[in-house]
Amino acid sequence: MSIPIRVLMVEDSEDDAALIVRELKRSGYDPAVERVDTSDAMNKALVEQTWDIVICDYRMPAFSAPDALMLLKNSGLDLPFIIVSGSAGEDHAVAAMKDGAHDYIMKDNLSRLIPAVERELREVRVRRERDQAEEMIRFLAYHDSLTALPNRTLLRDRLERAILDAQRENRPLAFLLMDLDRFKEINDTLGHHRGDQLLQQVGPRVQNLLRGSDTVARFGGDEFAVLLPHTGAEGAAETAQKILKALQPPFTIDNLPIHVEASIGIALYPEHGTGSENLIQRADVAMYAAKRNGSGYVSYAPEQDQHSPRRLALMGELRQAIEQNQLFLHYQPKISLLTGRIIGVEALVRWQHPEYGFVPPDQFIGPAEQTGLIHPLTQWVLDTALRQCQVWREEGLDIRVAINLSVRNLQDLQLPGQVAERLQNYALSSDRLDLEITESAIMADPTRALQVLTGLDQLGIGLSIDDFGTGYSSLGYLKKLPVDTIKVDKSFVMDMVSDESDTAIVKCAIAFGHNLGLKVVAEGVENRETWNRLAALGCDSAQGYYMSRPIPSAELARWIGESPWGLK
Ligand code: C2E
Ligand code: MG
Ligand code: MG
C-alpha cells in the first residue's frame, strides 16, 4: 500500500522534479504533485489546494527558495519546507534553515530526502495536534462547552471592563441573572440529554433580543447571565420583560413541546454595587426573591438579603449535622487504565438529614462556602478520610484517598499546617493523600491559592485539578501551578462515545495534560465503550459508575476483594 502525499514542488526543471517524484515512489509514497516556478503560481496553489509538504529548488530563473519561504510564512500555513538543490553553497543553506526551512538536501545526494520527508511529516503532525489542543482548551477556558456561550470567566471579565467604562463615562449598567424554573424536574422526567438540548436553545432566544454589545453567558447549571452596558433601571426591566416573553412559546425537543419559565434578578451599577462580585451577588439575591414571589423578575433591594437564598436555610442545620454525625463519606474507586487495578479512592461527603433525608453535596457545599461552615466541614472530611485510610492500611489495603477542597479552603493559609498535623496523627505518609481543587476555586484569588498550594505541594501531597474543561481558568496560569493531575470533567466523558465533539475535547484535555507532564484522570465513565476509548486515547486512569458508584467504606473492602478492578 503506497502512502498518498500531496507535494507542492517549487522547481523550474521538469527533469529534477521527476527525479524527486521517482525517489518518493521508490520509498512507498504515492505523490500528487503540482510544479510551480513563480511566486504567483505558488501563491495560487497554496490558496486553492491543501498540501502535505513543499519541496523547493534553491535558485530558479524567476524565483528562489528564500522568496518561496517568505511566501509560505506569510500564508500562515505550517507546512514542512525542504530545499532540494544543486550546489547553492553552505552559507545559503544555513541562512535558509535560519529562516525556517526544515532541511537542505543536495540533488546529488537524494538518499537523504526520504528520511527528511518522514521526519518533517511526523513533526508537523505533532505540532498541529498540540496547536489544536491548545486552541480548543483556550476556547474552553472562556466558553461553556454545552452552549458555546461565554462562561463565567469571560462574563466576569466583560463585567469588570463594562464597570470601568461605566465609571469613566458616568453611565449606568445592568446585570441580570436568570434561572430556569423547575429545570431539575425537566431533567429528571425527560432525561439530561433533553435538558441539555433545552439549555442549548435558551441562549439563542435571549441573544436575539439583545444588542451586539450585550453579553449572554451561561453562569452554571440552568443559570444564565445577561450584561447590559449603558442601561439603567427602566431599560433593565424592559429587557427582563422581553426575555420572559421570548421564553413563553414552547421549545421543541424531540418533537415534544416544552414550556419553560424563568426568574430574573436585576442588579444595577452604581445603585446596587460598584464591583463585579457585588453586582453578581445582588443579582443572585434578587433572582431568589423573584423565584419566591413568582413575579418573573425583581430588582435588587436590601430587604431581600435577610431572607435571601433558600439554599441558606439549611445552614443552621449543617453546623449541627457536623457535630451530630449526620454526615458520612462514600468512596469511589479510581482505576488505572494501564493496569486495570484500583489506585485510589475519592471521598465524597453525604448528608442524611433527619427530616429531608438525603441531601446531595451540590446543595450544601456552596452555601457552606458562603457561611464559612466549609472550614469545619473540610476538617471533618479530612479527619474521617484519613482515619479510614489508616484502617485500610491496617487491613493490608494500600489505598490513596482524595478529598475535595473548595474556594475558602484554598485561601486558608493554615491549611497546609493542619493537613501536615493530621497526616502525622494517623501516621500516614503524605503521598497517601490527594487533594482535588477546581479551577474556579484557584482563580478566586490566584496569588493566595498559589501560596496554599505550594505549601501543600511541599508536604508531598498529590494535587489534582478537578472538573477540568469546565473552563474557569487561564491556561497560562495553570501551567505554573504545582499540580500533578487533571481530572477531565464528567460532562465531557459521559457522552463521549456518542458525541464526537466530546471525544475531541477529552482527547485535547489528555494531550494538554500530557504536554505539561501531568497525569490525566477521566471521571464519569459509565460504560465499557468509554473505558476502551479512554484507554486507546492514552488516558491514565478513570473513575465512574461503570466500575463503581461512590460506596460506603465497608462495601469498598468487599468490592476490592470481588471486582475485577480490585487489588488482588
Ligand atoms: P466531584 O469532585 O467532581 O465529584 C464527582 C461527582 O461525580 C460525584 O458526585 C460522583 O458521585 C459523580 N460521579 C462519579 N462517577 C460518575 C458517573 O459515572 N456518572 C455520573 N453521572 N456521575 C458520576 P457527588 O458525590 O454528588 O459530588 C458532587 C460534587 O460535590 C463533587 O464533584 C464535589 O465538587 C462536591 N463535593 C463532594 N464531597 C465534597 C467534600 O467533601 N468537600 C467539598 N469541598 N466538596 C465536595
Ligand atoms: Mg472531586
Ligand atoms: Mg469532578
Side-chain angles (χ1 to χ4, degrees):
M1 261 279 288
S2 46
I3 311 156
I5 180 171
R6 294 160 300 188
V7 184
L8 179 56
M9 188 92 73
V10 187
E11 170 67 80
D12 60 316
S13 151
E14 233 170 276
D15 290 347
D16 286 352
L19 275 180
I20 293 173
V21 168
R22 203 180 60 192
E23 194 67 24
L24 286 166
K25 282 188 177 159
R26 264 213 327 220
S27 307
Y29 284 100
D30 173 18
V33 180
E34 178 166 331
R35 189 174 64 81
V36 295
D37 57 4
T38 63
S39 92
D40 283 350
M42 177 171 172
N43 231 341
K44 190 158 174 278
L46 284 178
V47 172
E48 291 177 357
Q49 296 174 61
T50 311
W51 303 102
D52 297 313
I53 194 165
V54 181
I55 298 181
C56 188
D57 192 4
Y58 190 82
R59 206 171 284 126
M60 292 152 277
F63 205 22
S64 73
D67 294 342
L69 198 52
M70 180 73 78
L71 205 150
L72 178 65
K73 241 190 216 168
N74 291 340
S75 76
L77 296 168
D78 178 10
L79 285 176
F81 187 99
I82 295 179
I83 297 174
V84 178
S85 172
S87 52
E90 206 178 7
D91 291 352
H92 288 305
V94 171
M97 300 287 286
K98 272 193 180 153
D99 276 345
H102 294 101
D103 210 337
Y104 197 113
I105 288 159
M106 296 300 190
K107 276 182 185 165
D108 53 15
N109 187 13
L110 272 188
S111 61
R112 277 193 56 233
L113 178 66
I114 299 303
V117 167
E118 280 168 357
R119 182 193 67 228
E120 290 309 321
L121 288 178
R122 201 166 49 239
E123 287 193 358
V124 77
R125 197 166 49 236
V126 170
R127 279 202 299 281
R128 281 195 197 135
E129 277 172 8
R130 196 188 51 213
D131 290 350
Q132 273 171 6
E134 295 249 0
E135 194 179 317
M136 171 92 93
I137 304 273
R138 207 166 303 128
F139 180 83
L140 286 174
Y142 290 105
H143 293 85
D144 164 53
S145 62
L146 178 65
T147 60
L149 291 174
N151 64 11
R152 245 177 217 257
T153 312
L154 186 52
L155 175 78
R156 200 177 285 264
D157 245 42
R158 293 209 181 147
L159 178 57
E160 268 156 25
R161 217 164 293 169
I163 290 174
L164 288 177
D165 287 345
Q167 236 161 14
R168 205 177 36 242
E169 298 165 9
N170 202 10
R171 295 170 84 164
L173 80 79
F175 180 76
L176 279 54
L177 263 188
M178 171 172 97
D179 185 280
L180 304 183
D181 296 339
R182 292 187 309 278
F183 179 74
K184 193 175 172 325
E185 232 171 272
I186 296 174
N187 237 351
D188 290 349
T189 48
L190 301 176
H192 81 264
H193 265 288
R194 294 206 176 99
D196 283 356
Q197 287 178 44
L198 176 64
L199 292 173
Q200 285 169 332
Q201 291 186 26
V202 168
R205 273 210 201 172
V206 177
Q207 215 150 19
N208 279 338
L209 302 169
L210 304 175
R211 291 170 297 193
S213 54
D214 301 336
T215 298
V216 183
R218 174 137 183 246
F219 204 66
D222 57 347
E223 287 184 4
F224 294 82
V226 179
L227 168 63
L228 306 170
H230 306 159
T231 305
E234 221 169 286
E238 247 167 57
T239 305
Q241 279 164 9
K242 274 202 282 183
I243 292 174
L244 293 172
K245 191 152 167 235
L247 295 179
Q248 271 171 10
F251 290 85
T252 309
I253 286 157
D254 291 346
N255 291 322
L256 286 172
I258 296 182
H259 289 272
V260 172
E261 282 176 15
S263 302
I264 300 177
I266 302 175
L268 300 167
Y269 169 92
E271 262 170 273
H272 301 143
T274 51
S276 61
E277 207 46 57
N278 227 334
L279 284 174
I280 292 173
Q281 192 247 330
R282 300 208 146 156
D284 189 60
V285 168
M287 183 183 81
Y288 274 92
K291 260 199 195 299
R292 218 170 29 240
N293 66 19
S295 57
Y297 72 94
V298 161
S299 207
Y300 172 78
E303 311 75 273
Q304 294 156 1
D305 280 331
Q306 304 142 31
H307 38 169
S308 75
R310 162 185 49 123
R311 46 192 179 188
L312 284 186
L314 282 168
M315 283 310 103
E317 304 174 56
L318 181 58
R319 187 180 298 277
Q320 284 178 2
I322 299 171
E323 287 156 9
Q324 296 174 358
N325 274 332
Q326 290 168 21
L327 298 185
F328 54 99
L329 292 181
H330 275 175
Y331 299 89
Q332 187 177 33
K334 299 182 186 178
I335 319 284
S336 158
L337 279 155
L338 197 66
T339 64
R341 295 279 179 256
I342 181 172
I343 49 169
V345 294
E346 176 174 8
L348 294 154
V349 69
R350 305 290 181 243
W351 181 4
Q352 189 65 36
H353 190 284
E355 257 172 77
Y356 310 139
F358 177 73
V359 186
D362 287 332
Q363 273 180 33
F364 61 88
I365 296 292
E369 268 283 311
Q370 288 169 23
T371 53
L373 275 177
I374 194 71
H375 293 298
L377 183 116
T378 302
Q379 296 304 336
W380 180 86
V381 172
L382 191 57
D383 249 329
T384 312
L386 289 181
R387 188 177 319 125
Q388 185 59 54
C389 192
Q390 193 192 30
V391 170
W392 280 325
R393 208 183 47 178
E394 282 161 6
E395 290 170 359
L397 299 173
D398 185 22
I399 303 174
R400 286 180 73 145
V401 54
I403 76 160
N404 292 278
L405 296 184
S406 16
V407 190
R408 286 222 195 171
N409 297 137
L410 273 185
Q411 286 161 23
D412 180 2
L413 295 173
Q414 323 233 328
L415 186 73
Q418 290 166 345
V419 171
E421 194 186 306
R422 287 213 162 52
L423 282 168
Q424 214 168 17
N425 285 351
Y426 294 108
L428 290 169
S429 92
S430 58
D431 64 355
R432 297 296 83 195
L433 179 64
D434 238 315
L435 298 175
E436 299 190 2
I437 40 220
T438 60
E439 301 164 61
S440 54
I442 296 166
M443 295 322 283
D445 183 349
T447 322
R448 190 136 169 174
L450 184 58
Q451 231 176 318
V452 176
L453 289 176
T454 307
L456 292 166
D457 182 50
Q458 280 164 357
L459 295 175
I461 289 164
L463 297 171
S464 311
I465 300 286
D466 206 349
D467 303 348
F468 181 79
T470 51
Y472 290 103
S473 76
S474 110
L475 281 190
Y477 193 77
L478 216 55
K479 293 186 186 177
K480 293 192 204 136
L481 296 173
V483 296
D484 31 46
T485 306
I486 58 176
K487 293 187 79 179
V488 184
D489 190 59
K490 57 177 176 290
S491 61
F492 308 115
V493 177
M494 265 157 46
D495 298 325
M496 64 182 274
V497 174
S498 56
D499 188 328
E500 283 301 315
S501 67
D502 281 351
T503 304
I505 290 171
V506 172
K507 207 170 146 188
C508 278
I510 294 170
F512 175 79
H514 286 172
N515 248 314
L516 293 186
L518 307 177
K519 293 269 183 238
V520 182
V521 186
E523 50 182 9
V525 178
E526 295 191 345
N527 48 55
R528 168 170 277 284
E529 291 91 295
T530 308
W531 167 280
N532 288 341
R533 196 169 287 195
L534 286 165
L537 290 176
C539 189
D540 299 289
S541 40
Q543 185 180 343
Y545 293 172
Y546 173 55
M547 294 80 79
S548 169
R549 292 190 174 251
I551 47 179
S553 54
E555 241 174 84
L556 188 87
R558 192 164 351 121
W559 182 93
I560 285 176
E562 289 169 5
S563 95
W565 292 286
L567 281 173
K568 308 283 148 61

